[in-house]
Amino acid sequence: MGILSHIVKGSKEYRELEQQFQELVKRTSHILDAEESAKHVRRLLENLQREYNVSLARHKDLVATIAAMEEDEDLIECAAYKPVYSFEFSTEYKLKLDNNRALQKQKVKDKAAVRTGSSGARAEVNRLIKLVLKAFNGECDALASNVTWKNINKTLEQVGREAQVINKLVEEYGIEIDSDYINLKLNEMRLIHEFQEKKQAEMEEQRAIREQMREEEKARLEYERALEEATREQERFQKALVEAQNKLAGAHGAELDRLNETVSLLMKKLEGAKEKGLRAQSMAELTKSGHVYVISNIGSFGDKMYKIGMTRRLEPTERINELGDASVPFRFDIHAMIYSKDAPALESKLQNYFKARQVNLVNDRKEFFFATIDEIARAVRSLHGDIQFTMAADAREYWESSALRNERKTREPDTTRSIG
């Protein structure tokens, strides 16, 4: 019995241990399942984060694209606007604008801005009229504060739409914004736009005048410096010539030959200095004299765009060097430098000859034209006479840069990776 009792007791303990073991196995299994689930959730979160980042990037691209498209649409529609007024000065636009606004105030004062055929209570009708004017004027004021060359046509359309919407709301009361008052608002928008454009044009014209004055001042100083330098050279060469001529009397043989050569050279230098002085004096006196230039910049503008301009500088290439400053990546190439006693007239003739091919159709002071160098050369020869042209642009910096860029492409591996 003792042995049996121990066996039974041991079996019972075994079953209890087995049950505890099974429970532990179940709990462990649940923990493992939970860890696996957590890993799965983390993977899902990572995938969702990646998808979100991709979607966010696409959203930003779409927003930028839509903004660009709306901008392009504004630019396209504004090109169709035709000025209604043709005043010479911005002050005339301002006076016209002030007069327009005075007429608006007078129509409101005369109770002619809004028509009414209502038979309702007068007080109620008056309140509605005030609300109509307040709404319409408020919308128009908001549009007027934002009107630009980009949105002028849309602004005019919006004024008309606002009037239609408001009129529709009060139609049942027999109230309507007067058409003459609407036209005054439309003309106000046109005047604001054209006033802004005329002011901008006047500012650009003033800048051009200031630039011309600076250019002429530089030319004047250059002539004066050249004249002073030529005078100093004449005095120096004249003094050296007198000294050499005085030595000739007592010279013999090789010394005589050497002095004769020195005298001859000094006489040539003296003559050159006199000619230089006369040229500087002549150009300083002839205010219209100067150089008309034909230049290109393949690296910056391509091979079918040329600038036709003018400078009064004694050394005209200095002006070309200034044009090729930090504002453009490469220097300009000179195809022709044409001296003329009336440089402004020659420049104007050439620019008018190619006016139909002007790059900037809005600003005539921009002197770039679509043409070939052969066409420009023919035009210069027909308008001015035969002149030496450099037909091919050197464009050394551009071509060397292109060669270096191609060399880097073949030498360096592509480290960029395509993004799926």
Side-chain angles (χ1 to χ4, degrees):
M1 289 295 292
I3 296 174
L4 182 59
S5 175
H6 283 300
I7 291 172
V8 171
K9 184 179 180 181
S11 297
K12 184 178 179 181
E13 290 177 353
Y14 170 75
R15 285 194 297 272
E16 289 176 354
L17 288 171
E18 184 180 26
Q19 187 176 358
Q20 292 176 8
F21 177 75
Q22 292 295 334
E23 289 292 330
L24 182 60
V25 168
K26 286 181 181 178
R27 289 177 184 177
T28 304
S29 176
H30 286 316
I31 291 171
L32 292 173
D33 289 344
E35 289 180 353
E36 188 63 33
S37 297
K39 289 180 182 177
H40 181 65
V41 169
R42 281 195 294 271
R43 285 195 295 271
L44 286 175
L45 285 172
E46 289 172 358
N47 289 335
L48 285 171
Q49 184 65 47
R50 281 194 293 270
E51 290 178 7
Y52 169 76
N53 291 338
V54 171
S55 298
L56 181 62
R58 288 177 178 170
H59 170 72
K60 289 180 178 179
D61 289 341
L62 285 170
V63 169
T65 302
I66 291 169
M69 290 174 68
E70 289 176 346
E71 183 78 6
D72 289 343
E73 184 181 355
D74 285 341
L75 294 175
I76 290 169
E77 68 87 19
C78 81
Y81 180 81
K82 289 182 173 53
V84 175
Y85 305 94
S86 56
F87 299 132
E88 187 175 358
F89 304 107
S90 62
T91 50
E92 295 176 273
Y93 283 96
K94 184 65 169 62
L95 287 172
K96 186 71 173 177
L97 183 58
D98 291 342
N99 182 58
N100 175 284
R101 287 168 174 165
L103 288 173
Q104 291 182 44
K105 290 180 180 178
Q106 190 62 44
K107 285 189 78 69
V108 172
K109 185 177 180 181
D110 295 341
K111 303 186 183 303
V114 177
R115 296 199 306 269
T116 177
S118 174
S119 58
R122 191 65 199 171
E124 182 182 354
V125 171
N126 287 338
R127 281 197 299 272
L128 282 173
I129 290 173
K130 288 180 180 179
L131 286 172
V132 165
L133 282 173
K134 185 175 182 180
F136 184 57
N137 289 340
E139 292 294 337
C140 289
D141 289 344
L143 291 169
S145 65
N146 293 310
V147 66
T148 68
W149 63 273
K150 291 182 181 180
N151 62 15
I152 174 61
N153 281 343
K154 285 188 175 181
T155 298
L156 294 173
E157 292 172 4
Q158 189 65 26
V159 170
R161 279 197 297 268
E162 293 296 337
Q164 289 177 359
V165 169
I166 293 172
N167 283 340
K168 191 70 176 175
L169 290 172
V170 294
E171 183 179 21
E172 62 180 293
Y173 302 100
I175 295 173
E176 184 181 26
I177 302 171
D178 182 69
S179 59
D180 288 341
Y181 189 72
I182 296 172
N183 285 331
L184 283 171
K185 288 292 186 184
L186 291 169
N187 285 334
E188 181 184 10
M189 303 302 161
R190 295 186 182 103
L191 282 164
I192 291 171
H193 164 63
E194 294 185 28
F195 175 51
Q196 291 173 344
E197 291 294 290
K198 177 58 72 173
K199 281 203 303 182
Q200 182 64 29
E202 287 176 346
M203 288 170 60
E204 290 184 2
E205 186 175 352
Q206 288 299 315
R207 280 197 295 270
I209 292 171
R210 288 194 296 271
E211 173 62 24
Q212 181 180 344
M213 291 173 65
R214 285 193 296 268
E215 178 71 8
E216 290 178 354
E217 178 63 13
K218 285 181 180 179
R220 185 186 66 78
L221 293 173
E222 188 177 342
Y223 299 150
E224 289 180 358
R225 285 195 299 269
L227 190 58
E228 290 173 2
E229 184 180 344
T231 301
R232 286 195 300 269
E233 286 181 354
Q234 288 180 52
E235 292 174 352
R236 188 170 68 252
F237 293 144
Q238 183 66 48
K239 183 178 178 182
L241 179 61
V242 170
E243 291 177 355
Q245 288 174 335
N246 290 336
K247 292 178 182 178
L248 280 175
H252 301 282
E255 178 66 12
L256 180 62
D257 293 337
R258 187 185 67 79
L259 285 171
N260 279 326
E261 289 179 3
T262 300
V263 168
S264 178
L265 179 62
L266 287 170
M267 290 179 69
K268 287 180 181 179
K269 288 184 175 181
L270 181 60
E271 188 63 29
K274 288 180 179 179
E275 289 179 0
K276 184 177 179 180
L278 288 172
R279 178 168 168 258
Q281 183 67 39
S282 175
M283 292 193 72
E285 292 172 354
L286 295 171
T287 56
K288 291 185 177 181
S289 66
H291 290 84
V292 174
Y293 54 79
V294 179
I295 58 178
S296 69
N297 194 323
I298 292 176
S300 302
F301 309 114
D303 60 352
K304 289 188 173 66
M305 190 185 296
Y306 294 86
K307 179 175 174 64
I308 302 172
M310 182 206 74
T311 179
R312 293 188 176 92
R313 305 278 188 88
L314 191 61
E315 295 297 334
T317 53
E318 288 185 4
R319 176 58 177 159
I320 310 305
N321 292 336
E322 288 177 1
L323 292 171
D325 62 7
S327 61
V328 289
F330 301 101
R331 294 179 181 275
F332 281 90
D333 286 299
I334 301 174
H335 295 273
M337 188 65 71
I338 311 153
Y339 173 74
S340 173
K341 291 182 179 179
D342 193 350
L346 177 58
E347 178 197 35
S348 179
K349 287 178 183 177
L350 278 171
Q351 291 179 354
N352 286 332
Y353 189 93
F354 291 102
K355 190 171 183 62
R357 302 199 211 171
Q358 192 167 334
V359 175
N360 189 332
L361 299 179
V362 178
N363 189 343
D364 288 337
R365 286 178 289 277
K366 301 298 183 181
E367 303 167 333
F368 287 91
F369 302 86
F370 292 117
T372 66
I373 195 62
D374 290 324
E375 291 171 330
I376 297 176
R378 285 197 295 272
V380 169
R381 286 165 184 151
S382 66
L383 295 170
H384 180 75
D386 196 21
I387 189 76
Q388 181 64 39
F389 257 81
T390 302
M391 305 304 284
D394 185 35
R396 179 175 174 178
E397 291 179 347
Y398 167 69
W399 293 118
E400 286 184 353
S401 297
S402 297
L404 288 171
R405 195 171 291 110
N406 291 332
E407 185 180 343
R408 287 176 185 172
K409 284 182 181 178
T410 57
R411 204 171 49 199
E412 297 175 1
D414 185 7
T415 56
T416 61
R417 291 182 299 175
S418 61
I419 300 174

